[in-house]
Amino acid sequence: MPTQAWTTRSAPRPERPERVTVGVYAADPVLRLGVVQQLRQRPEVDLVADLDAELAEVSLVVVDHVDDEVAALLDKLRHNSRTRTGLVVATLGPGSLQRVIECGVAAVLRRAEADQDQLLRLVMAIANGEGVLPGDLLGKLLTHVGSLQRSALDPRGVSLSTLTAREADMLRMVSEGLDTTEIARKTAYSERTVKNVLHEIITRLQLRNRAHAVGYALRNGLI
């Protein structure tokens, strides 16, 4: 059998695909180290130094929760056309999912599930232009989108979709007698954000003040 004829006609070996460059952002060095150590072991990933992080194809933001500082970082990354952003987070409070989506986050992974395989899957999905959300968060997002669509069809209709979860929570705290500073402390938002959210409610629903907004929400079963 002329087997040697087959062995001498080997096809060109395909080039190994370039590794995905990844920048890791975390205020807590322990959180950052944990993710870096997991990804450093994978040949598909090229971790970039902090000084070059803005040049990475994929940016991973690793946090406990989303506050104003984290949102500002996410928004900054959203304006960097070189990178796509993923969020590794311990908890997402009321309204946080919408907030991170608005900040351009392409994928979300809970820290409790962030083992090496899941982190790599997240990175590769982001690099390939895909979006990733845990199943329960995807369900919440679809519900929220449906609420927005119903509100658009009947913008003056009173329903649970008239207020976002964050707005309802803040109005409920106002009804309990909390002031701006106390609400900011409980929600981990800045006082400016609290004022803006409450002002948005009053303006959108054409009300006079916070007391009027609380009364309106209570009468219509929104809080």
Side-chain angles (χ1 to χ4, degrees):
M1 296 282 297
T3 54
Q4 291 300 318
W6 293 98
T7 57
T8 57
R9 295 182 58 193
S10 59
R13 297 181 63 182
E15 293 184 8
R16 181 177 178 177
E18 292 185 3
R19 295 190 296 172
V20 177
T21 54
V22 178
V24 179
Y25 297 80
D28 185 336
V30 175
L31 294 183
R32 186 182 189 283
L33 182 61
V35 171
V36 166
Q37 286 182 333
Q38 297 272 33
L39 291 177
R40 182 176 286 152
Q41 304 173 47
R42 303 304 299 238
E44 304 92 337
V45 172
D46 181 15
L47 290 165
V48 301
D50 290 352
L51 293 177
D52 297 323
E54 63 180 19
L55 302 177
E57 299 169 68
V58 172
S59 296
L60 290 184
V61 177
V62 188
V63 295
D64 286 319
H65 60 275
V66 177
D67 55 19
D68 286 348
E69 185 175 351
V70 173
L73 171 59
L74 295 174
D75 193 56
K76 178 182 177 182
L77 292 170
R78 178 169 66 93
H79 289 90
N80 180 357
S81 60
R82 294 172 174 165
T83 194
R84 299 185 80 241
T85 306
L87 179 68
V88 181
V89 62
T91 59
L92 274 177
S96 294
L97 177 59
Q98 179 186 353
R99 196 179 193 192
V100 300
I101 296 300
E102 290 172 351
C103 289
V105 171
V108 176
L109 177 65
R110 286 196 173 90
R111 267 200 4 234
E113 302 168 357
D115 59 21
Q116 187 180 123
D117 290 337
Q118 291 290 352
L119 283 169
L120 179 64
R121 190 172 294 117
L122 184 77
V123 167
M124 301 311 292
I126 296 171
N128 290 328
E130 301 170 7
V132 180
L133 282 177
D136 62 314
L137 294 184
L138 179 59
K140 290 179 182 179
L141 180 61
L142 292 174
T143 299
H144 178 68
V145 170
S147 297
L148 291 178
Q149 291 174 335
R150 289 192 296 273
S151 296
L153 291 173
D154 184 14
R156 296 189 65 83
V158 175
S159 68
L160 290 176
S161 64
T162 302
L163 298 177
T164 66
R166 178 173 67 169
E167 290 172 339
D169 281 347
M170 288 191 184
L171 266 189
R172 194 174 294 112
M173 293 179 197
V174 172
S175 73
E176 294 169 356
L178 276 65
D179 61 20
T180 299
T181 301
E182 292 168 323
I183 294 173
R185 188 180 304 118
K186 292 195 68 171
T187 60
Y189 290 114
S190 68
E191 292 186 26
R192 181 177 180 180
T193 296
V194 173
K195 291 177 182 178
N196 288 341
V197 169
L198 294 173
H199 178 73
E200 164 64 20
I201 298 170
I202 293 167
T203 302
R204 188 176 72 246
L205 299 180
Q206 300 177 6
L207 304 171
R208 293 190 300 275
N209 49 42
R210 293 186 183 186
H212 191 191
V214 168
Y216 177 92
L218 288 171
R219 283 196 305 274
N220 291 287
L222 301 179
I223 62 173

